[in-house]
Amino acid sequence: MRRSAWGWLLLLVVVSGCTSRFVDFAPDEEAIYAQPIDEVWPQVRAYFRANGFAFREVPGGASLETEWREEFAGSRVSAYWHRYLVTARPEGPHRCKLVITRESRSVNKTLKAPGSELLWVVDGRTDDNPSGIGSPMAAMLAQQQSDDAVVLVGESQQSARDLVLEWKVFRKISPVIAREKKTSSDSPDVEVMKDAMVECGVPILGLGRLARAGHVVLLGEVHGTQEVPHFVAQSACQVATQGIPVTVGVEVPAGNQARLETFLASEGGEEDWRKLMESPFWRSPYPDGRNSEAVAYLLEALRKLRAQGMDVRLFAYDHPPLEGEAREEAMARTVLEVAAASPGRALLVVSGNLHPRQVQGLPWNRDYQPMGLRVARERRDVYSLDVAYKSGTAWICAVGPEQKLDCGVKPARGQDNGDRYFVQLFGGLNAQGYHGIFYVGEVSASKPAVFQGTEPAGDARATSSGR
């Protein structure tokens, strides 16, 4: 049954001064101001101005629309544009609320396929570029006018109500309104300071129940989609912005650990990408989706988070050429070692969906012990989630009719549960050894990041180092 994005939120009401209830990282109720619109609105305008947004107000009402702003300017895989529509609405004679809708556009071709409307969004401003503008793309788009509005050439888009920002504004300005409230009809004094604006997209419902300090969350994926690495990147951002240090584990040979750490600490230039992609891992003759463009995007997103001061780490835990249970044991050992060394961190570990299972046995081997079972035997708070998705495509390697491994874009069948990311728990382990699912919407195939050398995916004739 299809679930609407807003069907998951209970929009209850609170007044200024009350403590809000939160489910996970997403608010489950609206913020209601205990003051009328004419007292709240000047502070709302001041908030957006203090945080670097240019905006125009809608005549005849308490409503504004910010101009498009570019984030991660200059990044070839993480850049995006976004704006807000902010409207104040009365809630009785002396109260009001804000309704904030975020609209995003991305020029990221890696995420342009169906399902890519769920954007990676993190604020990319710096002290040298406080408004996040000035890139060649910004200049080009600013010249494209239609009906007095800027036209954005985006590959993907998203529009959604942003309850997180509504509460951020509420917590920032409601104490000021209460302190500066006057008995006269004058507007209150404006006293809004700049706020930290690290944005992580629409909150992933259910994520916060599991992604806690000391927890290990094992995410079982179908390799070769654009959406799963994007889900992991967005999850890492949302966990880190809650003040929880986060470590992401990727199914990459452990011998690449130093290379990954070097890239995360780099500026992401051409030479940094070249050194990352020199590893044989990226040039496998049978790319199975673990070395895709979307995985490269995940690494870039984590690098950008690190550059903005977020406490984000990365580790590789695969152990080729081991196979079968020897490989499961080696992978489990690495995960356990990282978890033991990181007691105050949340671990998000993504792998093929056989490895996270916490039950013994497979259809072809009743004694088989997957990585997840081995990790859970030695640690508490280990949670296994299986991927769920709406039908689409994935880059899959499968044995063909001639008993040869065939890699390419193939159909992936799933069930439509809407377009919004969410985590759903079962209330215990199911027969397959999972505690629940993580849902990523419609899936789309992600090609190998490179075909040979450091050439960009999709162009075997390229001679420059791709991204």
Side-chain angles (χ1 to χ4, degrees):
M1 179 174 138
R2 183 182 178 87
R3 301 177 177 91
S4 71
W6 299 113
W8 287 87
L9 294 176
L10 298 175
L11 299 180
L12 304 177
V13 179
V14 297
V15 297
S16 176
C18 293
T19 302
S20 66
R21 297 187 300 106
F22 278 77
V23 175
D24 313 316
F25 303 148
D28 65 350
E29 46 193 40
E30 294 179 313
I32 304 299
Y33 295 81
Q35 297 85 19
I37 290 176
D38 60 356
E39 293 182 9
V40 172
W41 190 246
Q43 294 289 343
V44 174
R45 295 168 66 242
Y47 179 90
F48 281 89
R49 186 176 293 111
N51 284 283
F53 287 93
F55 58 83
R56 54 182 177 270
E57 294 191 68
V58 177
S63 181
L64 66 82
E65 183 179 75
T66 68
E67 300 288 352
W68 289 101
R69 189 168 76 178
E70 186 179 13
E71 312 291 2
F72 280 3
S75 172
R76 65 187 69 192
V77 289
S78 296
Y80 74 99
W81 292 73
H82 73 116
R83 67 179 178 184
Y84 294 103
L85 175 64
V86 185
T87 303
R89 297 178 181 175
E91 285 287 313
H94 303 295
R95 302 194 306 167
C96 69
K97 67 180 179 182
L98 291 184
V99 176
I100 301 178
T101 302
R102 168 207 252 144
E103 186 173 2
S104 298
R105 298 285 185 272
S106 175
V107 295
N108 185 348
K109 293 185 178 181
T110 303
L111 296 176
K112 71 179 180 180
S116 63
E117 69 277 3
L118 294 165
L119 303 180
W120 165 250
V121 281
V122 175
D123 185 77
R125 289 169 292 160
T126 64
D127 291 339
D128 295 332
N129 186 12
S131 59
I133 61 175
S135 70
M137 178 63 75
M140 181 191 77
L141 295 177
Q143 296 174 1
Q144 300 181 21
Q145 300 290 325
S146 174
D147 299 326
D148 296 325
V150 175
V151 176
L152 294 185
V153 185
E155 299 288 349
S156 54
Q157 64 180 345
Q158 177 193 29
S159 294
R161 185 173 178 183
D162 195 333
L163 282 166
V164 170
L165 185 56
E166 289 177 18
W167 273 102
K168 183 180 287 188
V169 175
F170 176 85
R171 288 196 173 93
K172 190 70 173 181
I173 72 174
S174 57
V176 178
I177 298 171
R179 186 171 65 249
E180 300 292 344
K181 187 175 181 180
K182 298 180 178 180
T183 57
S184 69
S185 60
D186 294 337
S187 296
D189 293 338
V190 173
E191 189 181 320
V192 175
M193 304 299 290
K194 185 175 179 179
D195 202 2
M197 292 287 287
V198 177
E199 301 175 357
C200 307
V202 177
I204 298 172
L205 300 171
L207 176 66
R209 299 175 184 177
L210 302 184
R212 303 285 184 180
H215 289 194
V216 178
V217 182
L218 305 177
L219 302 168
E221 70 159 335
V222 173
H223 295 315
T225 72
Q226 297 184 26
E227 288 69 28
V228 170
H230 177 243
F231 177 96
V232 177
Q234 191 164 311
S235 297
C237 182
Q238 292 184 14
V239 174
T241 55
Q242 292 295 314
I244 303 172
V246 60
T247 299
V248 175
V250 288
E251 196 176 346
V252 172
N256 288 267
Q257 183 64 35
R259 196 183 300 270
L260 293 176
E261 291 180 355
T262 298
F263 178 75
L264 253 63
S266 75
E267 296 182 357
E270 293 291 333
E271 182 65 14
D272 301 316
W273 279 103
R274 185 187 65 78
K275 291 179 179 179
L276 175 69
M277 295 293 176
E278 279 179 346
S279 168
F281 167 75
W282 299 99
R283 302 192 304 276
S284 168
Y286 298 106
D288 61 2
R290 293 178 299 157
N291 51 10
S292 68
E293 290 178 330
V295 172
Y297 153 80
L298 167 61
L299 302 183
E300 167 74 346
L302 297 178
R303 187 191 68 78
K304 281 289 189 179
L305 279 177
R306 279 277 296 272
Q308 291 197 105
M310 296 290 101
D311 191 350
V312 175
R313 298 178 186 173
L314 178 68
F315 74 101
Y317 62 89
D318 197 9
H319 289 273
L322 296 177
E323 296 180 354
E325 292 195 74
R327 181 183 174 214
E328 301 286 348
E329 175 63 19
M331 294 166 73
R333 284 294 116 205
T334 300
V335 172
L336 286 166
E337 289 169 6
V338 172
S342 311
R345 307 183 69 83
L347 265 64
L348 304 177
V349 183
V350 61
S351 70
N353 60 0
L354 179 152
H355 306 299
R357 292 162 57 114
Q358 293 189 29
V359 293
Q360 179 172 309
L362 294 172
W364 57 90
N365 184 346
R366 66 169 59 182
D367 298 322
Y368 196 92
Q369 298 183 27
M371 174 187 72
L373 177 61
R374 297 167 187 266
V375 173
R377 280 175 175 167
E378 299 192 26
R379 284 191 65 89
R380 298 177 56 189
D381 298 322
V382 179
Y383 301 93
S384 297
L385 302 177
D386 195 12
V387 67
Y389 49 86
K390 181 181 176 181
S391 295
T393 60
W395 180 277
I396 296 173
C397 288
V399 178
E402 298 180 359
Q403 297 302 305
K404 292 183 179 180
L405 198 61
D406 174 39
C407 299
V409 177
K410 295 179 172 59
R413 292 185 174 87
Q415 183 176 352
D416 183 0
N417 280 295
D419 296 323
R420 184 168 179 177
Y421 293 174
F422 65 81
V423 171
Q424 182 177 9
L425 299 179
F426 300 143
L429 281 176
N430 69 0
Q432 287 72 45
Y434 296 106
H435 292 94
I437 61 171
F438 67 102
Y439 178 78
V440 298
E442 184 176 358
V443 291
S444 49
S446 183
K447 295 180 180 179
V450 295
F451 281 123
Q452 61 180 13
T454 55
E455 296 170 355
D459 187 359
R461 299 167 297 175
T463 57
S464 63
S465 62
R467 65 121 157 13

